[in-house]
Amino acid sequence: GPKIPHRDQESIYPKYCHLMLILFKPWRSVTDLKQTLQLWTKSFETFRGTCDKKVVSILNNMQILHECKDSQDD
């Protein structure tokens, strides 16, 4: 299947934010994830500032795995 995008790639950061909200923020409708006119990036940054430390740790570990894979490929 498709890979989870890196958070450090500016061109796909909105997609990363969108997917991380879907995975880690409880929701039943899109408006639970973001306000109608709100950007995915802003909604994710707000969520990241208020979510459990365990979620932040998981997000950081996912990025570390990407970096290790990238380093291995070099």
Side-chain angles (χ1 to χ4, degrees):
K3 294 185 207 176
I4 292 176
H6 296 219
R7 73 174 174 212
D8 59 352
Q9 295 178 341
E10 188 176 333
S11 64
I12 57 173
Y13 185 66
K15 182 177 181 178
Y16 167 84
C17 293
H18 184 176
L19 292 173
M20 294 305 107
L21 285 167
I22 289 170
L23 289 172
F24 293 105
K25 185 175 182 181
W27 63 283
R28 291 180 185 246
S29 71
V30 174
T31 56
D32 294 332
L33 297 174
K34 73 175 195 74
Q35 300 299 315
T36 303
L37 299 176
Q38 188 178 34
L39 297 174
W40 287 107
T41 53
K42 180 64 175 167
S43 181
F44 176 70
E45 290 163 11
T46 301
F47 168 72
R48 188 177 166 117
T50 60
C51 68
D52 189 84
K53 290 179 184 179
K54 187 173 184 176
V55 171
V56 173
S57 179
I58 293 169
L59 293 170
N60 290 337
N61 288 341
M62 290 169 64
Q63 183 63 25
I64 290 169
L65 286 172
H66 279 305
E67 292 168 7
C68 288
K69 174 86 169 97
D70 290 346
S71 175
Q72 185 180 25
D73 291 343
D74 289 341

